């Protein structure tokens, strides 16, 4: 854009700024090498900053080693939920309806152990290790449908990202027990 010329960006304030920018553009067209102050709106400055930040965020997300399960379902960054259900977000983040999580904050009585007897009921335990029959069956259906192991590693890519997200949402609905379901089990 600026071909090595020094450029300053500031908000357009008056009609005179537009005339100044037009004159600078004509001088540059005619081969002069002027220092140019490019007037632009506050909105344009914010949009440019957001675009640059998002591009950096995307590059970092693509190179990050952690969170590859989430990356399998959501390759692009952004600020929206992108179709994730509440239970899927809880399963991915570990913040939600898990006995160990409640115990950590003193929100439930008990020791935080899973009903299967295999350890603390954390998101990781529920998703990958729990031996309760309904959870094992849900993981098996997920693997059959997606070609991915439940950790979303070794995904064979046969599903589009949106279809894989639907499968993760359905798996989360089966694995995560919310407050209402928890009250019914008591």
């Amino acid at each position: 854009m600026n071909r090595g010329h020094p450029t300053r960006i500031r908000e357009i304030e008056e009609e005179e700024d537009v005339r100044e920018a037009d004159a600078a553009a004509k001088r540059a067209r005619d081969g002069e090498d002027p220092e140019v102050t490019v007037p632009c709106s506050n909105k344009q400055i914010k949009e440019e900053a957001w675009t640059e930040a998002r591009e950096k965020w995307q590059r970092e997300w693509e190179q990050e080693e952690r969170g590859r399960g989430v990356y399998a379902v959501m390759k692009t960054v952004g600020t929206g939920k992108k179709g994730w259900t509440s239970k899927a977000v809880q399963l991915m983040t570990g913040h939600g309806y898990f006995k160990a999580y409640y115990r950590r904050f003193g929100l439930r009585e008990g020791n935080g152990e899973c009903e299967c007897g295999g350890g603390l009921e954390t998101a990781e335990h529920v998703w990958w290790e729990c031996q309760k029959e309904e959870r094992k069956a849900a993981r098996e259906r997920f693997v059959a449908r997606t070609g991915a192991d439940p950790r979303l590693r070794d995904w064979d890519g046969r599903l589009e990202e949106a279809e894989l997200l639907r499968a993760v949402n359905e798996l989360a609905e089966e694995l995560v027990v919310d407050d209402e379901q928890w009250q019914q089990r008591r």
Side-chain angles (χ1 to χ4, degrees):
M1 177 177 146
N2 68 9
R3 294 188 207 113
H5 301 295
T7 304
R8 291 188 312 265
I9 297 177
R10 63 180 169 82
E11 187 174 352
I12 295 175
E13 295 175 7
E14 298 181 16
E15 189 174 315
E16 183 178 321
D17 291 334
V18 174
R19 285 193 296 270
E20 180 185 331
D22 186 49
K26 288 176 183 173
R27 286 192 305 272
R29 179 197 63 203
D30 295 338
E32 295 179 31
D33 193 16
E35 183 176 309
V36 177
T37 300
V38 180
C40 61
S41 70
N42 195 26
K43 180 181 177 186
Q44 289 171 312
I45 293 169
K46 287 179 181 179
E47 286 173 356
E48 182 66 25
W50 171 245
T51 298
E52 288 179 25
R54 192 160 157 198
E55 288 170 356
K56 178 182 179 196
W57 184 15
Q58 182 67 44
R59 283 189 307 276
E60 290 173 356
W61 180 232
E62 290 168 356
Q63 296 168 358
E64 179 61 57
E65 292 182 18
R66 296 171 296 162
R68 296 301 78 191
V70 176
Y71 182 80
V73 181
M74 189 168 59
K75 298 212 185 316
T76 57
V77 298
T79 57
K81 271 179 59 176
K82 309 238 186 218
W84 292 78
T85 65
S86 174
K87 288 184 180 181
V89 170
Q90 292 172 42
L91 198 58
M92 288 289 194
T93 64
H95 299 271
Y97 300 121
F98 307 104
K99 290 180 183 179
Y101 184 76
Y102 282 134
R103 178 177 169 244
R104 177 177 162 201
F105 295 104
L107 300 173
R108 292 277 194 274
E109 296 291 324
N111 59 10
E113 294 286 322
C114 183
E115 296 168 11
C116 78
L120 290 176
E121 186 184 82
T122 62
E124 293 81 14
H125 173 80
V126 166
W127 199 349
W128 306 322
E129 302 159 0
C130 183
Q131 295 303 305
K132 287 180 69 177
E133 287 303 317
E134 60 265 23
R135 286 179 173 159
K136 284 171 53 176
R139 285 193 298 267
E140 289 169 5
R141 284 190 296 278
F142 178 81
V143 170
R145 177 177 177 188
T146 64
D149 76 5
R151 297 173 196 225
L152 298 175
R153 295 186 181 107
D154 303 321
W155 173 43
D156 67 9
R158 72 178 178 195
L159 296 179
E160 295 292 324
E161 192 174 308
E163 183 61 25
L164 183 59
L165 176 58
R166 277 192 289 282
V168 168
N169 284 336
E170 290 172 11
L171 176 66
E173 290 300 317
E174 293 186 72
L175 296 181
V176 179
V177 177
D178 62 25
D179 276 339
E180 185 177 307
Q181 294 166 318
W182 188 84
Q183 292 295 335
Q184 292 172 356
R185 290 183 177 187
R186 290 182 72 199

